Amino acid sequence: MELVAGCYEQVLFGFAARPAESWTVVPDFTHHAHSASLSAVAVNNRYVVTGSRDETIQIYDMKKKIEHGALLQHNGTITCLEFYGTAHLLSGAEDGLICIWNTKRWECLKSIKAHKGQVTSLSIHPSGKLALSVGTDKTLRTWNLVEGRSAFIKNLKQNAHIIKWSPDGERYVTVITNKVDIYKLDTASVTGTITTEKRISSLRFITDSIIAIAGDDEIIKFYSCDSQKCLCEFKAHENRIKDIYSFEREGQHVIVTASSDGYIKMWNLDLNKIKDVPSLLCEVNTKARLTCLAVWLDRASEMKENSDKAATSPRANEDEKSSIVRRKKLCQTGKSDKTAKRKRKITPEKQKLEAPLPKKKKKQNSSA
């Protein structure tokens, strides 16, 4: 298991997290592939991808621990990245584009002019057939990913900067400054609203009906989507929290938080005692101003997760078969094949990820 986090200082950090009697976090690598601050990070079972203000998406092969290449389709800061399964990646940027990538060959299958302004956030439905996006044109847009086209446009009163599907796909939420609107999929109408004192910087579904919210302060709050009531709140950091991630491993529910104070922290959350403050498992000080966070799980835990999902979701096999896009329907990318190939850059010589915070070393010591 690897905690990966980006920061303003243009560095991607990797920390190996190991569960034992007490969790330990060990520095694993640092990487300096970007020429500007990192703005987004996403993971699947093999790759970590990072987006930056330098307008590039960098790819890291976590199995081989090497830099895999860079994607150069966007003209503007990369604002959001999200994988669907092992085969596809969606990216959004300030240029208003959403790009759909095949992760086998890292080809851009389709480039969609999604918003008149910037794309601020996107989220893929658990089935892989729909996606939602919000942008600075005050719209919420629904995308049919099977057809690769716009399905519905909803006008918002203000610009939303976060959108998320629930794990079961039955509801979704939008965040506008300090307000969370909760929508039901079947009616596309707001069923409830949560308002916080501070601007919301990150939101994560913990279960189908419980969300964790972090604002521009040190507090994390858990809310019920059904009652819109705060179930628990606690001080997690000494500075504003920039991102939240969550995962389940062997029955233990873990929350991971990253803050501008430089710390990444792991918390144990007991869902049966949701009103109790989560207990701190471990923490690490990166000594950087963190901006984004994800957790890369090893193959064993990934297979367990998938088997658990298959057992609880009758749609799982159908969803995997449907895929996120049918390539034969997405042959019209709006650009020639030559242009697409020119935009996609894979580094000719794949580079190993560096040891954490390395000093100047001689070549013979580089493998240490």
Side-chain angles (χ1 to χ4, degrees):
M1 183 187 306
E2 198 92 18
L3 310 182
V4 289
C7 64
Y8 285 108
E9 289 80 5
Q10 308 170 18
V11 180
L12 175 68
F13 294 100
F15 295 92
R18 300 185 179 95
E21 291 184 8
S22 61
W23 281 73
T24 58
V25 179
V26 181
D28 193 18
F29 67 84
T30 60
H31 199 58
H32 303 73
H34 290 287
S35 60
S37 60
L38 277 70
S39 50
V41 61
V43 298
N44 69 1
N45 66 341
R46 177 160 186 172
Y47 296 103
V48 169
V49 293
T50 56
S52 168
R53 297 184 67 86
D54 65 10
E55 306 181 356
T56 70
I57 299 169
Q58 297 286 341
I59 311 162
Y60 309 93
D61 187 325
M62 296 297 288
K63 298 292 185 183
K64 298 179 180 179
K65 290 293 177 69
I66 58 172
E67 178 188 353
H68 193 71
L71 307 177
L72 309 177
Q73 191 77 12
H74 289 286
N75 293 306
T77 298
I78 311 301
T79 55
C80 41
L81 296 165
E82 187 166 330
F83 279 105
Y84 180 74
T86 59
H88 296 92
L89 169 73
L90 264 65
S91 61
E94 287 185 349
D95 56 8
L97 296 180
I98 290 178
C99 293
I100 303 173
W101 303 91
N102 177 305
T103 61
K104 303 301 181 184
R105 297 183 180 180
W106 292 105
E107 294 173 329
C108 183
L109 300 178
K110 193 169 183 70
S111 180
I112 305 168
K113 182 60 178 175
H115 291 271
K116 293 178 181 177
Q118 305 169 11
V119 180
T120 53
S121 182
L122 62 83
S123 185
I124 304 170
H125 189 268
S127 70
K129 297 175 182 178
L130 293 174
L132 298 173
S133 67
V134 288
T136 54
D137 56 1
K138 298 181 182 178
T139 64
L140 186 165
R141 298 180 183 240
T142 305
W143 302 96
N144 180 331
L145 294 178
V146 177
E147 302 288 342
R149 60 176 176 81
S150 175
F152 184 73
I153 301 173
K154 178 179 177 61
N155 292 316
L156 303 174
K157 293 181 180 179
Q158 294 175 277
N159 292 324
H161 63 280
I162 298 174
I163 191 158
K164 293 278 186 191
W165 284 105
S166 63
D168 62 4
E170 295 299 318
R171 68 179 104 202
Y172 56 92
V173 298
T174 62
V175 179
I176 299 173
T177 314
N178 65 331
K179 185 180 72 170
V180 181
D181 284 329
I182 303 164
Y183 292 80
K184 287 208 70 174
L185 173 62
D186 52 1
T187 62
S189 59
V190 176
T191 60
T193 298
I194 296 167
T195 304
T196 63
E197 293 179 4
K198 302 280 188 176
R199 182 184 185 275
I200 295 169
S201 55
S202 182
L203 179 148
R204 178 73 54 171
F205 273 93
I206 305 301
T207 69
D208 293 329
S209 60
I210 297 174
I211 54 176
I213 295 175
D216 280 351
D217 55 16
E218 317 87 47
I219 307 298
I220 290 178
K221 297 181 180 181
F222 299 126
Y223 281 90
S224 165
C225 289
D226 298 320
S227 67
Q228 295 89 56
K229 290 183 179 179
C230 182
L231 305 174
C232 174
E233 67 175 81
F234 65 101
K235 181 178 178 179
H237 289 270
E238 296 301 321
N239 207 326
R240 61 180 179 174
I241 298 162
K242 297 296 290 186
D243 212 348
I244 310 171
Y245 205 89
S246 67
F247 64 92
E248 191 173 345
R249 185 184 178 93
E250 298 177 357
Q252 185 179 33
H253 207 100
V254 179
I255 308 294
V256 189
T257 58
S259 168
S260 295
D261 64 12
Y263 278 88
I264 300 173
K265 297 186 180 184
M266 299 180 71
W267 308 83
N268 179 42
L269 175 63
D270 188 343
L271 291 175
N272 296 319
K273 300 176 181 178
I274 191 67
K275 294 185 178 181
D276 293 347
V277 173
S279 57
L280 181 65
L281 295 171
C282 58
E283 62 183 31
V284 61
N285 187 2
T286 66
K287 299 180 181 178
R289 295 171 297 162
L290 300 175
T291 57
C292 50
L293 170 75
V295 178
W296 178 79
L297 300 171
D298 57 41
R299 182 177 293 275
S301 59
E302 188 76 17
M303 287 176 66
K304 182 181 185 310
E305 257 198 349
N306 290 341
S307 64
D308 290 344
K309 286 181 181 177
T312 57
S313 174
R315 297 178 303 187
N317 292 332
E318 176 194 342
D319 294 343
E320 186 64 28
K321 288 178 183 177
S322 71
S323 188
I324 195 168
V325 286
R326 293 173 184 165
R327 186 170 178 179
K328 62 184 179 181
K329 291 192 177 185
L330 295 179
C331 57
Q332 300 296 325
T333 63
K335 297 188 178 184
S336 68
D337 291 340
K338 289 182 179 179
T339 304
K341 287 178 181 178
R342 188 168 67 248
K343 285 282 188 180
R344 178 177 56 92
K345 172 196 166 192
I346 297 296
T347 50
E349 190 172 330
K350 298 176 181 178
Q351 301 175 7
K352 288 187 178 180
L353 298 179
E354 300 171 9
L357 303 175
K359 297 179 180 179
K360 296 285 184 179
K361 292 184 179 182
K362 294 181 181 179
K363 289 187 176 178
Q364 64 261 31
N365 295 330
S366 62
S367 60

